[in-house]
Every structure is written in structure tokens, then in C-alpha cells.
């Protein structure tokens, strides 16, 4: 029999708390929420459980003894996909007889949560498979092209200024739009034009009239028309057209329009805008911010949503007038069937939210109020004139009803009053100018324009558009200019021109648009997931093979734009193979290049690098370097360039994430084996010699920072933990002795004569920082910046490393997800 207990899973702690509070009627007892029988356990993905195995273990443990499962994940395709991941972690199968329910909700209000509980559904397998399909296609295609490009070009050129030369089925067409606009600007040829502009004085108003021909590109012809007008000298009013027009209130706010406004009006990049919107959502101030719909459902509670804002100090009075006079039904928009438009749920002030969140929240609120406000109504008056056989006009606007522009003044109609005219009236021309101008090129694409192009061409989804734009910025393919315009860099331009030379499909939106159509069919259950993935991958296999064969065409463009490695960088250290000096190339990714051996050695990123006293590695004779992270708490550590790129002890690279980017064993992200990870038994710079004791925060080892004097310290070789040693000491070094009580390395401290804590002015002292009372009283623990990602769990530090490493040999035999495997690609 299945248990009558229910386990509920939410993705974010704030959402879990809201759901728990509603379902328990405020009676929350830690994680157990008692609302009568059965007992409900509501859990969320804790921040510390970032690695997949930890999440699986956490969910599996918490689910023991519970029967039914209710999933409160985000209500989009990605959320549906996570539902099935949770089910796998918990061990859902026919044998468990556990009922699985899906809660669909668009906000974390009490009303929506209770409604979701009353209308539980089954998880949608087709939508989850659609996400699997997109992930598998994007990963395999992106990684294949990225690995090849990165290893090929970074091995030849020194000033690319990018850690990785990436390709993405969405990312690259996004860059293509930016480069296409750049090429339009570059190839634009300005032309002179001329326009006849007559002026009149009418009842105290001076008016400039607009020419029906607008402008001409022939100077002599323009001068001829100017003379005709001047010779006649008298204008006749031929027509007066007065018409009442209206400017429609906006439709509901979807994600794409929110991102466009955030960029163009608020100055927020799409990534930042989504982060702020998600925070407002999890705090309960707005509805779910990822939606493609601009139409409200028929059951939407407009009065209740407006009522929540009546006491707002900024726009409460406007809302009160709307409720008193009667709000309008919003315009019909597009209903995609996902979520209602983004709307406010709770009233807030700037003091509650902070500046950035308030500005986005303020727009969401004003937009919603605009959707239920009257249209803006105005009278448009057009007066037409003739003179010398040519026709001119002027236009005026008079606002009758401000409507929604009262709350959205930036969309207001600009009033322009015209003097009274009578049909057939004759008016003398006071002046006739011949205006000269130049046609101008289009500007760089703005983020807002780029988002529109991506939406129009089916590039990305409401959930991923911001990510793709952020990626091309982070890769140094485009730079964000004033007004949030996107200017492509030399690298971005060269890449797109290279794709155009080899296979234009790689940077055009057509293929991605087709893929998205197929994925949508998968989500609707109208196409087979496996066949769609295999068909797309087969297409890209052929394109990849052709791309590799034709790479010289792209290389010719790179060669014309960038400097060869041999001509880049400055001399820094000696190569252990040829004993010639290698050059340090500081542009991203930071690396060394040996011109004699034609070898590249990648270095840690985002820090400074210098020679370490001309000391050499006992394993390969390469000169050692010191890498220092920025900031007062940034750690320093020595490294051998060769060992760092080709760890000589098995397990180092896999344990510490040194992902190889190509067949030449180059490190893609510069994370390999510094000296403080090296288990060499005799080298004075290795973990064995410089390691002191276990880190209290993780499974790493506290290692002496060799260049931290006079502010001596120990740094963890895995996390960001720091131990500050006695400041001002002349010298602190490790010894070969071990503490008999805790097995830590004994330190030797040479205190300053003026500040020594020892009696009789003694300066030399040895002891264990954990067990020796004097030394322990002089140290201070704190956090700093770490190069490596912190790994969870507690370990024995250096002691746990003994005998744990072997020479180069077999792999680790890790289990790989078949759909993420590159075996057949």
C-alpha cells in the first residue's frame, strides 16, 4: 500500500514558503506542514545542492516514506522537464504506486495556489521531451563547433581577446543580426538631397509647410521647383480635413515586450531585466514573468488586481478613478495557452524594492493600468495648399481624451495647434528655403530591435532570448554602446563573415526557426522526439564535416584581422623542452606560447601572472610562475605551465574540472594542476611540502601562500577559505615535522624584533597552528576569492590525498548520459 503522506517539490525557497504558508494556513513547522491528515512535506532545491548527484540524493532521502507527489515547478516547458527529473530522482515507477500530480499556477497568491491545488493535472511528457530535444541538439552542435574553432584559432592567434570561440545554433544567428546591421552601416553611401520649404505667417503663427514630394536628389530640379514657388508667391488652401482618431491602449505585457521596454526605456540589459523580474515574482509582487501571451483569460480578476493598488502612494488615486468611472476591457491579444500577461499582484513602494526592482515593477504596474484605461482620442487636422503647381501641407493634433496616456505619458500624442484656415483662402508666402541634407546610415542594432528580430525569426524562446544576447556580449562578439546599442567587435564580424564564406546557413535564422517548429510539434505530441533529434543532428554532422574541410577560408579572414601568436605577447619564462623563452599573451584567454616548439600553454584567468624567482619544476624543467587573484583577499599560488595543462598525476584534471578543448590536450577554461594540488613527494612547492592542515569548510587542504608576506596567510586549495597568520613576521615557512596530536605540518615563524610576542625579544618559533596556544591565538579565519569552484562535503584535507594519485593511465570510467554522449557525433 502506498503511504497517504504527500511530498511537494518547489524549485525556489521563496515559492516553497508561499505554498507552505497557504496550505498550512500559516502554521509552518520547519519543513513539516500539518494540515490535518495526511502529512505534507514541502521541499525545494536548496542553493547548496548545485550538483546533480547532491540534488538526487537530497530528493531521494526526503521522499522516503511518502506516497503521492505534487510538483510545483515553473509552469513552462523547462519546468515540465524538471518535473520528470524530480520524478526520476525520487524513483517514480509502477512498483512504487505513487500518484504524480502537477500544479499549474501563474502567481504565488493564496487564490492561485488554492486554485492550483483544486485543479491538479498530470505532468506533460511531450513538453518535457521538447526540452530534452532542444538541449541535446544545442549541446552537441554547440560543443562540436566550439571545440574545433577554439583549438584551431587560439592555437594560431594571440589577440582574439576571448576565452572561447563559441558557436551556438541560437547564439550565432543572434550575432548574425548585429553583424548584418554593421555591414549595412559600413557599405552605406550617403547622398545629398534637397527639399523646398515655404513659410507663411497666419494670425501670428509662423508655419513651415511640408512638401508632398518630400525630397529630391537632383539639385537643379530642386532649384527649378523653388523658383516656381517663389515666382507664384501666393498659396491657396485647397483642402481642410479634420478627423477624430484614437491611439489604442496596449495589449497585455508578455516577456518579449517587457525585455524590449526594459532595454530601451530603463537601460536594463535583457539578462538583468529577467533576473529582476524573477525576483519580483518569487517575492509575490508580480505574476510569472515568462509568458508569450498578450491576451488575458476570460476569468481574469481585473477588479481584484486593480483593488490591490488603490492605496499605492504613487498611482493609487488613478486606480481609484478607474474603479469609480469603470475600467475598460483590455484589447484582444494573443493567447498562446501558457500564462496570462505579466501583471502586478501586490502594492509596493521604492523603499520596499530598491531602485532597479522598483523601476521595473513601476513599468509593469503602469502598463497593466494602461491596458484597462480608455484609448487616447484626438482630432487630426490636415491643411493642404497649392502654389506654382506644387502641393504642400501642415498637420495639427488636438487631444480630446488622454486615456491611457495619463498613466503612460511617454506614449502621449504631441499636441500641435494650427491657426484657422478657410478653403480657397489665399495666403502670401513669407519665405521659401531650399533645405539641403544628407541621407544617413542606420544605427547599430539596439537590444530592443534585436529582441524583435529574434522573436520574428523564431530564435530562442521567451526564457532564452536574454541568455543568447548575454552570451554574445560575454564572448566579446559585441559590445554594448551608449543607448544599449550593440556594436560587433572584430572577432564577431570575422566569425560571421567566415561562416558566410563557408556555409551561410550556420549564421542565418532559417535552420533555427525550422528546429523550433519541430520542437513545438514534439511539445504538442505531433512529432517523435527521437526522430527530430536524429534528423537535425544528421544535418549538422554534414555541415560540421564540410566546415572542418573549408576552415582555411575562415582562417584567411582571421589572418588578415589578428596577430599570429609569434608576434603577440611579451617574453616571460623558459620552456622546459627547448629552454627558449616563451611569450605571455595577456588577452583572453591568458596563455604562454613557445615559438620554437609551437606549443600553447593555458594559464588561470582573471588575475596577474609573473615569474617565480626563476625556480623550475623538478618534473619537466619548466620555469614556475606565480598567479595572483585581484583584490586584498585574492590568493596567490605557484604553477608549472606544463603540469597545469597536462597534470602528471591521474585524477587531478577530472577532480578539478580541467575540461580538454581539443585533441592536443589544451585546457579550455584554464583549470588544471597548480603546485598546491601536486602530490610530488620532494618538490618544495607541492601540496606535500606546503600543505598545513585540513580545511574546516570543505575537503581541501590549507596551503601556505608563498608570496603573501608581510601579510602571511594560508589558503584552501579548493574553496575560498583563508587563515591570516601573524602579520609582520619576517618569514613563515613549513617544516618537515608533523604535529603528534593532529598530524598537521609544523610551521616555523620568524617574528619581527619590534613586535615579537615571545619573551626576552626572541623571534624564532615553531609550532602547530591548531594545537599550539600561542600560534592559534594569533591567527584569524576569513573568506576570500577562490579560483576553483567550491566542492561540497567535509574531508580530511591533505591526509586524505595520500596514495590517492597515480601516474598517467586509464580513465575513471564515469557513467555518461547517453543522450549527452558524443560517441556517434
Amino acid at each position: 500500500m502506498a503511504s497517504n503522506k504527500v511530498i511537494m517539490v518547489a524549485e525556489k525557497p521563496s515559492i516553497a514558503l508561499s505554498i507552505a504558508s497557504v496550505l498550512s494556513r500559516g502554521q509552518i513547522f520547519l519543513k513539516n506542514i500539518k494540515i490535518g491528515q495526511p502529512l505534507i512535506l514541502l521541499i525545494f532545491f536548496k542553493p547548496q545542492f548545485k550538483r546533480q548527484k547532491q540534488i538526487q540524493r537530497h530528493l531521494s532521502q526526503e521522499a522516503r516514506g511518502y506516497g503521492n507527489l505534487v510538483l510545483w515547478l515553473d509552469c513552462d516547458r523547462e519546468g515540465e522537464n524538471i518535473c520528470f527529473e524530480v520524478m526520476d530522482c525520487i524513483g517514480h515507477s509502477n512498483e512504487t504506486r505513487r500518484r504524480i500530480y502537477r500544479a499549474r499556477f501563474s502567481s504565488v497568491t493564496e487564490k492561485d495556489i488554492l486554485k492550483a491545488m483544486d485543479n491538479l493535472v498530470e505532468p506533460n511528457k511531450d513538453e518535457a521531451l521538447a526540452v530534452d530535444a532542444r538541449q541535446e541538439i544545442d549541446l552537441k552542435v554547440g560543443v562540436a563547433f566550439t571545440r574545433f574553432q577554439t583549438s584551431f584559432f587560439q592555437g594560431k592567434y594571440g589577440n582574439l581577446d576571448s576565452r572561447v570561440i563559441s558557436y551556438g545554433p541560437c547564439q550565432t544567428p543572434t550575432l548574425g543580426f548585429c553583424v548584418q546591421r554593421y555591414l549595412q552601416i559600413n557599405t552605406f553611401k550617403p547622398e545629398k538631397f534637397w527639399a523646398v520649404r515655404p513659410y507663411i505667417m497666419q494670425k501670428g503663427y509662423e508655419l513651415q509647410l511640408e512638401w508632398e514630394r518630400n525630397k529630391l536628389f537632383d539639385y537643379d530640379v530642386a532649384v527649378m521647383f523653388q523658383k516656381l514657388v517663389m515666382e507664384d508667391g501666393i498659396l491657396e488652401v485647397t483642402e481642410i480635413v479634420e478627423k477624430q482618431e484614437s491611439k489604442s491602449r496596449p495589449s497585455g505585457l508578455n516577456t518579449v515586450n517587457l525585455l524590449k521596454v526594459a532595454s530601451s526605456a530603463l537601460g536594463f540589459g535583457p539578462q538583468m531585466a529577467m533576473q529582476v523580474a524573477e525576483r519580483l515574482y518569487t517575492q509575490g509582487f508580480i505574476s510569472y514573468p515568462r509568458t508569450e501571451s498578450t491576451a488575458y483569460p476570460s476569468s481574469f480578476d481585473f477588479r481584484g488586481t486593480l483593488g490591490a493598488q488603490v492605496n499605492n502612494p504613487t498611482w493609487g488615486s488613478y486606480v481609484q478613478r478607474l474603479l469609480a468611472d469603470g475600467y475598460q476591457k483590455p484589447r484582444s491579444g494573443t493567447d498562446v495557452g501558457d500564462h496570462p500577461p505579466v501583471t502586478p499582484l501586490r502594492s509596493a513602494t521604492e523603499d520596499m524594492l530598491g531602485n532597479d526592482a522598483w523601476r521595473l515593477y513601476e513599468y509593469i504596474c503602469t502598463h497593466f493600468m494602461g491596458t484597462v484605461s480608455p484609448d487616447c482620442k484626438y482630432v487630426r487636422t490636415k491643411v493642404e495648399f497649392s502654389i506654382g503647381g506644387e502641393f504642400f501641407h501642415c498637420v495639427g493634433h488636438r487631444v480630446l481624451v488622454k486615456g491611457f496616456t495619463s498613466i503612460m505619458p511617454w506614449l502621449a500624442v504631441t499636441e500641435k495647434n494650427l491657426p484657422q484656415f478657410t478653403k480657397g483662402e489665399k495666403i502670401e508666402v513669407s519665405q521659401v528655403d531650399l533645405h539641403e541634407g544628407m541621407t544617413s546610415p542606420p544605427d547599430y542594432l539596439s537590444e530592443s530591435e534585436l529582441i524583435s528580430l529574434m522573436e520574428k525569426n523564431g530564435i530562442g524562446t521567451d526564457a532564452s532570448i536574454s541568455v543568447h544576447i548575454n552570451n554574445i556580449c560575454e564572448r566579446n562578439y559585441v559590445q554594448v554602446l551608449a543607448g544599449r546599442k550593440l556594436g560587433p567587435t572584430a572577432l564577431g564580424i570575422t566569425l560571421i563573415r567566415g561562416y558566410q564564406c563557408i556555409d551561410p546557413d550556420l549564421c542565418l535564422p532559417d535552420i533555427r526557426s525550422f528546429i523550433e517548429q519541430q520542437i513545438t510539434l514534439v511539445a504538442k505530441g505531433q512529432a517523435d522526439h527521437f526522430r527530430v533529434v536524429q534528423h537535425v543532428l544528421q544535418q549538422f554532422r554534414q555541415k560540421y564535416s564540410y566546415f572542418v574541410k573549408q576552415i582555411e577560408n575562415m582562417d584567411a579572414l582571421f589572418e588578415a584581422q589578428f596577430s599570429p601568436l609569434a608576434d603577440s605577447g611579451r617574453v616571460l619564462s623558459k620552456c622546459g623542452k627547448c629552454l627558449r623563452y616563451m611569450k605571455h599573451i595577456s588577452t583572453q584567454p591568458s596563455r604562454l606560447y613557445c615559438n620554437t616548439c609551437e606549443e600553447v600553454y593555458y594559464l588561470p584567468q582573471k588575475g596577474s601572472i609573473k615569474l617565480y624567482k626563476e625556480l623550475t619544476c623538478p618534473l619537466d624543467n619548466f620555469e614556475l610562475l606565480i598567479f595572483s587573484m585581484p583584490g586584498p583577499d585574492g590568493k596567490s599560488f605557484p604553477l608549472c605551465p606544463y603540469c597545469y595543462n597536462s597534470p602528471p598525476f591521474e585524477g587531478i584534471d577530472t577532480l578539478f574540472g580541467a575540461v580538454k578543448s581539443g585533441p592536443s590536450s589544451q585546457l579550455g577554461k584554464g583549470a588544471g594542476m597548480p603546485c598546491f594540488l601536486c602530490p610530488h613527494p620532494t618538490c618544495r612547492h607541492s601540496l606535500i611540502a606546503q600543505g598545513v592542515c585540513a580545511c574546516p569548510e570543505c575537503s581541501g587542504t590549507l596551503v601556505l601562500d608563498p608570496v603573501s608576506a608581510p601579510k602571511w596567510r594560508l589558503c584552501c586549495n579548493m574553496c575560498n577559505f583563508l587563515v591570516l597568520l601573524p602579520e609582520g613576521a619576517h618569514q613563515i615557512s613549513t617544516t618537515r615535522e608533523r604535529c603528534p596530536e593532529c598530524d598537521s605540518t609544523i610551521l616555523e615563524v620568524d617574528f619581527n624584533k619590534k613586535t615579537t610576542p615571545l619573551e626576552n625579544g626572541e623571534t624564532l618559533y615553531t609550532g602547530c597552528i591548531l594545537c599550539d596556544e600561542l600560534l592559534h591565538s594569533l591567527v584569524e579565519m576569513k573568506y576570500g576569492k577562490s579560483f576553483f569552484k567550491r566542492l561540497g562535503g567535509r574531508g580530511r584535507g591533505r591526509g586524505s590525498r595520500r596514495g590517492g594519485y597515480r601516474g598517467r593511465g586509464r580513465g575513471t570510467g564515469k557513467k555518461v548520459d547517453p543522450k549527452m554522449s558524443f560517441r556517434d557525433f
Side-chain angles (χ1 to χ4, degrees), residues 31 35 158 177 290 338 343 444 528 593 668 671:
K31 61 184 179 183
I35 56 172
F177 290 131
R290 297 189 190 276
D338 51 354
T343 52
Y444 286 118
D528 180 71
Y593 176 66

Side-chain angles (χ1 to χ4, degrees), residues 298-405:
S298 56
S299 60
F300 191 88
D301 183 9
F302 293 102
R303 179 168 291 278
T305 305
L306 286 170
Q309 303 290 333
V310 291
N311 295 320
N312 188 282
T314 306
W315 48 73
S317 57
Y318 182 85
V319 174
Q320 289 169 16
R321 287 198 302 274
L322 268 181
L323 290 170
D325 299 341
Y327 58 85
Q328 303 291 311
K329 184 180 179 181
R331 286 172 54 205
S332 58
T334 304
D335 185 3
V336 183
D338 51 354
H339 290 277
V342 185
T343 52
L345 300 176
R346 288 167 48 199
S347 180
T349 62
E350 185 172 2
D351 290 340
M352 293 169 64
L353 301 179
N355 182 259
D356 289 342
W358 164 254
R359 292 171 65 206
L360 193 66
Y361 172 80
E362 181 183 32
Y363 176 75
I364 292 169
C365 289
T366 54
H367 187 103
F368 172 71
M369 289 182 277
T371 65
V372 293
S373 297
D375 290 343
C376 171
K377 296 181 179 178
Y378 61 97
V379 174
R380 181 179 185 271
T381 304
K382 183 178 182 181
V383 183
E384 298 175 357
F385 306 86
S386 70
I387 179 172
E390 289 301 296
F391 298 93
F392 299 86
H393 67 269
C394 61
V395 176
H397 295 120
R398 180 167 51 89
V399 175
L400 302 175
V401 179
K402 286 187 176 182
F404 75 95
T405 62

Side-chain angles (χ1 to χ4, degrees), residues 163 168 318 354 481 484 565 574 588 661 692 780:
R163 291 177 61 183
Y318 182 85
L481 309 175
R484 301 216 61 90
L565 283 174
K574 283 184 181 179
Q588 291 190 54
S661 67
V692 175
E780 177 187 346

Side-chain angles (χ1 to χ4, degrees), residues 650-655 806 809-816:
E650 185 182 290
I652 295 288
D653 55 342
T654 53
L655 183 60
R806 294 175 290 166
R810 294 174 299 175
T812 56
K814 275 196 298 186
K815 186 177 179 181
V816 178

Side-chain angles (χ1 to χ4, degrees), residues 189-206:
K189 293 181 179 179
E191 291 183 83
K192 282 187 178 181
F193 66 83
W194 294 267
V196 178
R197 289 184 176 176
Y199 291 82
I200 60 172
M201 290 293 297
Q202 179 76 346
K203 298 176 183 177
Y205 288 91
E206 183 182 51

Side-chain angles (χ1 to χ4, degrees), residues 413-708:
V413 174
T414 303
E415 291 207 54
K416 182 182 179 182
N417 294 316
L418 294 179
Q420 286 292 321
F421 290 98
T422 307
K423 187 175 182 179
E425 182 180 357
K426 309 278 188 179
I427 304 168
E428 185 177 348
V429 175
S430 61
Q431 182 181 337
V432 181
D433 288 346
L434 187 64
H435 170 74
E436 181 181 296
M438 292 279 285
T439 58
S440 57
D443 205 344
Y444 286 118
L445 271 184
S446 67
E447 282 178 333
S448 180
E449 291 172 317
L450 179 58
I451 292 167
S452 295
L453 284 170
M454 294 173 72
E455 181 188 32
K456 179 182 177 182
N457 289 275
I459 303 298
T461 64
D462 56 353
S464 64
I465 282 176
S466 61
V467 176
H468 301 314
I469 296 176
N470 187 62
N471 281 343
I472 64 173
C473 295
E474 285 195 341
R475 299 286 190 266
N476 194 36
Y477 294 162
V478 300
Q479 292 179 333
V480 181
L481 309 175
R484 301 216 61 90
K485 304 284 185 180
L486 299 173
T489 62
L491 178 58
I493 295 164
T494 306
L495 271 175
I496 294 299
R497 289 182 61 209
Y499 295 132
Q500 290 171 342
C501 286
I502 298 174
D503 182 356
D505 280 349
L506 291 174
C507 60
L508 292 175
D510 306 62
I511 289 184
R512 187 62 198 192
S513 182
F514 168 77
I515 292 172
E516 288 297 338
Q517 291 169 11
Q518 296 301 302
I519 288 172
T520 299
L521 292 177
V522 173
K524 293 178 178 179
Q526 297 172 5
D528 180 71
H529 155 263
F530 178 79
R531 289 184 178 179
V532 167
V533 171
Q534 291 308 307
H535 174 70
V536 173
L537 291 182
Q538 181 58 35
Q539 279 189 315
F540 273 102
R541 279 191 198 97
Q542 296 170 358
K543 289 183 174 296
Y544 177 79
S545 297
Y546 184 74
F547 179 76
V548 171
K549 292 174 184 176
Q550 300 294 320
I551 192 64
E552 296 300 328
N553 293 330
M554 182 183 278
D555 189 38
L557 298 173
F558 271 76
E559 191 173 357
Q561 184 66 50
F562 301 103
S563 303
L565 283 174
D567 299 337
S568 305
R570 61 180 179 85
V571 171
L572 181 63
S573 65
K574 283 184 181 179
C575 170
K577 295 179 180 179
C578 66
L579 301 182
R580 303 288 181 89
Y581 278 100
M582 299 187 292
K583 284 187 174 180
H584 175 222
I585 299 163
S586 57
T587 54
Q588 291 190 54
S590 178
R591 58 208 188 275
L592 292 174
Y593 176 66
C594 178
N595 193 28
T596 306
C597 303
E598 296 187 343
E599 290 281 351
V600 178
Y601 301 98
Y602 289 87
L603 301 172
Q605 308 298 308
K606 298 182 180 178
S608 61
I609 201 93
K610 62 183 179 181
L611 196 62
Y612 187 28
K613 302 178 183 177
E614 297 184 350
L615 299 170
T616 59
C617 174
L619 289 172
D620 48 49
N621 211 31
F622 275 72
E623 285 189 324
L624 299 183
L625 304 173
I626 281 283
F627 175 77
S628 300
M629 301 189 70
D633 293 334
K635 65 177 66 173
S636 302
F637 54 82
L639 63 101
C640 161
Y642 189 81
C643 292
Y644 187 76
N645 284 262
S646 302
F649 301 95
E650 185 182 290
I652 295 288
D653 55 342
T654 53
L655 183 60
F656 294 99
V659 180
K660 304 289 175 68
S661 67
S664 58
S665 296
Q666 294 172 344
L667 292 171
K669 295 187 177 179
M673 191 189 80
C675 295
F676 65 31
L677 294 178
C678 175
H680 193 285
T682 60
C683 178
R684 282 297 302 158
H685 315 289
S686 71
L687 171 65
I688 302 300
Q690 296 297 317
V692 175
C693 62
C695 174
E697 293 294 317
C698 73
S699 59
T701 302
L702 297 181
V703 181
L704 182 66
D705 188 331
V707 293
S708 56

Side-chain angles (χ1 to χ4, degrees), residues 211-229:
W211 195 13
E212 289 293 330
R213 295 181 188 273
N214 191 15
K215 58 192 174 189
L216 295 176
F217 293 93
D218 189 310
Y219 174 73
D220 294 332
V221 175
V223 169
M224 179 193 73
F225 283 120
Q226 182 191 27
K227 287 180 179 178
L228 287 174
V229 172

